[in-house]
Amino acid sequence: MDKLNNIGGILLDLEGVLFVGERPIDGAVETIRCLKEKQIPHYFVTNTTTKSRGALAQKMRMLGFMIEPEEILTASSAASAYLEQRNPVSCYLFVADAVRDEFKAFPVSEQTPDFVVIGDIGPVWDHKLVNRAFQMVMSGAELVALHKSKYWQSPQGLQVDIGAYVAGLEYATGTTAVVIGKPSSEFFEAGIQALGCPKEQIVMIGDDIDSDVEGAQKCGIRGVLVRTGKYREEIEAASSVVPDAIFDSVADLIKVLDI
Amino acid sequence: MDKLNNIGGILLDLEGVLFVGERPIDGAVETIRCLKEKQIPHYFVTNTTTKSRGALAQKMRMLGFMIEPEEILTASSAASAYLEQRNPVSCYLFVADAVRDEFKAFPVSEQTPDFVVIGDIGPVWDHKLVNRAFQMVMSGAELVALHKSKYWQSPQGLQVDIGAYVAGLEYATGTTAVVIGKPSSEFFEAGIQALGCPKEQIVMIGDDIDSDVEGAQKCGIRGVLVRTGKYREEIEAASSVVPDAIFDSVADLIKVLDI
């Protein structure tokens, strides 16, 4: 744990780190409470794009975490911030209804938007929508993807994720999408800005060795892997990524911080 | 046009080169008639996978082109030949009804086919079908694409083509599709064999700078781009592909061949 001294700020993933499904990870609620009591700067970064920050915070509170919406960076809120920097813009949204509010500041153009935002619309995708996104990008719109995951695990097995549509649109239009969520550097940078402390003092804690740990390290901050959520020993063993530390769970933070 | 001497055989794309929609390109009918009169070896190679060779020849004849089915190589006829080499196989077809007959020799499996064949089903694509193809490939099916075109020209403008779905499935499944039609070398090689003359004497004429021109060049024959069909000046300008020549239309062939 030598690499974990001088911690001035902490970025934390949500799903798999603080909870799985509807169940908090053992010790996670106490850990977050402790960070707040000791006023250690922390901020939550998640690729979840089917819930708004408000709905996420509400869920977290029901699980016992006293978290405010403003403490969470989601891929959709980061996308909104990305667009805001380019104000004024028009956009067209392929996103879940639950996160449309994040983009309400931007006028929608049905024909020639400046930005096309691809999110989780799941079974709603059809050829007409794919073609519409294609034509908008060919007409000059910038392609923005909330994330580029390949698949996700449902109770019915693996399901194709929005990465398929993002990759397909990139191929057909000959462009490269701006991918907003982890592991993009911009996403981590936004989290780092929110913490307001130097990079060398920051650690990111996540259960995904690629998106969370490697992404953090590429951005110049330390990456800690937890053995909860989607963690699998064989994935860690096969990976070329070397986490700065591995925790049995997020609860190890208390020991490391000696608080 | 220096690069266009010593022409002993010509491969020609159909849609966008000889016609758009139901309208022949100006001078195209006369050009093909001239090639036939002067007995200059030529052969038609098309990624069109919504019509059988017979139906295509019939359409061409209605437009004034005296073309026989045997003069046309389609991606679906080539795909059928590819599967036949691997006989016996089960497959699942995402292809147009009009070309299903090309695959009638192969038993269909709804669950775990050996091959998933992606063709032109156009507006029928939806998330359920994308997910079904994804799950079949994840279960071990080989992904076969009739072609991987990015877009096609309709009277209503550029439309996204099946390359978007093929590329998306490749990304999500972490596999590489066997691409049957242009720009695959096997497809061009079949056309070259049909012409029966040395590669250095052959030119390919098409409106797609990637599938037609680059594909031909990678196969060792010359690639000529026409400024008709899906041609767009900005796409040509942005491309790293340098055609051996650019024609205003296929009718320029007459001048180049001096016939």
Side-chain angles (χ1 to χ4, degrees):
Chain A
M1 303 283 182
D2 288 353
K3 289 186 173 174
L4 289 187
N5 50 24
N6 188 29
I7 295 181
I10 303 165
L11 296 177
L12 296 117
D13 184 26
L14 291 180
E15 182 135 29
V17 174
L18 298 189
F19 66 94
V20 170
E22 303 300 321
R23 197 177 150 269
I25 300 284
D26 286 349
V29 168
E30 297 71 19
T31 302
I32 299 304
R33 191 193 304 138
C34 194
L35 292 181
K36 293 195 181 301
E37 282 172 9
K38 304 288 181 182
Q39 297 189 320
I40 296 168
H42 58 280
Y43 194 66
F44 304 96
V45 286
T46 173
N47 274 358
T48 301
T49 53
T50 50
K51 281 194 172 68
S52 67
R53 279 169 295 181
L56 262 176
Q58 194 174 19
K59 173 180 180 166
M60 298 302 293
R61 293 176 80 89
M62 283 180 60
L63 296 179
F65 299 94
M66 293 300 106
I67 292 178
E68 302 297 327
E70 303 75 45
E71 295 180 87
I72 305 173
L73 181 65
T74 66
S76 43
S77 61
S80 173
Y82 175 82
L83 293 185
E84 206 170 321
Q85 288 164 14
R86 285 148 184 82
N87 201 33
V89 294
S90 66
C91 63
Y92 193 85
L93 305 172
F94 296 85
V95 304
D97 287 342
V99 299
R100 284 195 167 262
D101 262 9
E102 302 268 17
F103 300 95
K104 64 185 174 194
F106 312 109
V108 168
S109 164
E110 300 272 347
Q111 295 300 328
T112 54
D114 298 315
F115 292 88
V116 162
V117 182
I118 307 290
D120 288 305
I121 55 172
V124 175
W125 277 115
D126 62 14
H127 186 70
K128 205 171 153 187
L129 288 183
V130 171
N131 198 43
R132 181 180 289 181
F134 164 81
Q135 290 178 331
M136 287 173 166
V137 176
M138 290 300 275
S139 298
E142 184 176 318
L143 184 61
V144 176
L146 295 194
H147 65 82
K148 202 179 167 184
S149 289
K150 296 176 175 179
Y151 45 79
W152 57 284
Q153 178 69 37
S154 85
Q156 288 74 42
L158 288 187
Q159 310 291 322
V160 72
D161 209 337
I162 63 167
Y165 297 100
V166 175
L169 287 168
E170 288 182 313
Y171 173 78
T173 60
T175 60
T176 302
V178 173
V179 179
I180 297 292
K182 294 176 287 183
S184 96
S185 287
E186 289 79 6
F187 195 70
F188 284 108
E189 291 288 354
I192 290 163
Q193 276 206 329
L195 286 177
C197 55
K199 279 191 179 183
E200 54 273 23
Q201 292 182 14
I202 298 175
V203 296
M204 163 73 205
I205 300 178
D207 64 334
D208 187 314
I209 196 162
D210 300 310
S211 289
D212 292 327
V213 177
E214 187 182 31
Q217 291 175 336
K218 281 193 170 169
C219 194
I221 63 175
R222 287 165 287 179
V224 173
L225 186 65
V226 287
R227 293 196 181 95
T228 55
K230 70 172 83 164
Y231 172 86
R232 298 286 181 280
E233 202 176 335
E234 60 274 21
I235 294 176
E236 185 210 328
S239 175
S240 61
V241 178
V242 182
D244 291 282
I246 302 179
F247 288 176
D248 282 336
S249 84
V250 69
D252 285 0
L253 246 186
I254 305 295
K255 285 181 264 175
V256 169
L257 292 169
D258 196 22
I259 53 180
Chain B
M1 303 284 181
D2 289 352
K3 289 184 174 176
L4 289 188
N5 48 24
N6 187 28
I7 296 181
I10 303 165
L11 295 176
L12 296 119
D13 183 27
L14 291 179
E15 183 136 27
V17 173
L18 299 190
F19 66 92
V20 171
E22 303 301 321
R23 198 177 149 268
I25 301 284
D26 287 348
V29 168
E30 296 71 20
T31 301
I32 300 305
R33 191 192 305 139
C34 194
L35 292 180
K36 293 198 182 298
E37 283 172 7
K38 305 287 180 182
Q39 298 189 318
I40 296 168
H42 59 279
Y43 193 66
F44 304 97
V45 286
T46 173
N47 277 356
T48 301
T49 53
T50 50
K51 282 191 172 69
S52 66
R53 279 167 294 182
L56 261 178
Q58 192 175 18
K59 173 178 179 169
M60 298 303 292
R61 293 176 79 88
M62 282 181 61
L63 296 179
F65 299 94
M66 294 300 105
I67 293 177
E68 302 297 329
E70 303 75 44
E71 295 180 88
I72 306 173
L73 182 66
T74 69
S76 43
S77 60
S80 173
Y82 175 82
L83 292 185
E84 206 171 320
Q85 288 165 15
R86 284 148 184 83
N87 199 33
V89 295
S90 67
C91 62
Y92 193 85
L93 305 172
F94 296 86
V95 303
D97 289 340
V99 299
R100 283 193 169 264
D101 263 8
E102 304 264 20
F103 300 96
K104 64 186 173 193
F106 313 110
V108 167
S109 163
E110 300 271 347
Q111 295 300 327
T112 54
D114 298 315
F115 292 88
V116 162
V117 182
I118 307 288
D120 289 304
I121 55 172
V124 175
W125 277 115
D126 63 14
H127 186 70
K128 205 171 153 188
L129 288 183
V130 171
N131 199 43
R132 180 182 289 181
F134 163 79
Q135 290 177 332
M136 287 174 166
V137 176
M138 291 300 274
S139 297
E142 183 177 320
L143 185 60
V144 175
L146 295 195
H147 64 84
K148 204 179 166 185
S149 289
K150 295 174 175 178
Y151 44 79
W152 58 284
Q153 174 67 33
S154 84
Q156 288 75 44
L158 288 187
Q159 311 290 322
V160 72
D161 211 333
I162 64 169
Y165 297 100
V166 175
L169 287 167
E170 289 181 314
Y171 174 77
T173 60
T175 61
T176 302
V178 172
V179 179
I180 299 291
K182 297 175 287 183
S184 97
S185 288
E186 290 77 7
F187 196 69
F188 282 110
E189 291 288 353
I192 290 163
Q193 276 206 328
L195 286 177
C197 55
K199 278 191 178 182
E200 53 272 22
Q201 291 182 12
I202 298 176
V203 296
M204 164 73 205
I205 300 178
D207 63 334
D208 188 313
I209 196 162
D210 301 310
S211 290
D212 293 325
V213 177
E214 187 182 31
Q217 291 175 338
K218 280 193 170 169
C219 193
I221 64 175
R222 288 166 286 180
V224 174
L225 185 65
V226 288
R227 293 196 182 96
T228 55
K230 70 171 83 165
Y231 173 87
R232 295 286 182 280
E233 201 176 333
E234 59 274 21
I235 294 174
E236 185 210 328
S239 174
S240 61
V241 179
V242 181
D244 290 283
I246 302 177
F247 288 176
D248 283 335
S249 84
V250 69
D252 285 359
L253 246 187
I254 305 295
K255 285 182 264 175
V256 168
L257 292 170
D258 196 20
I259 53 180

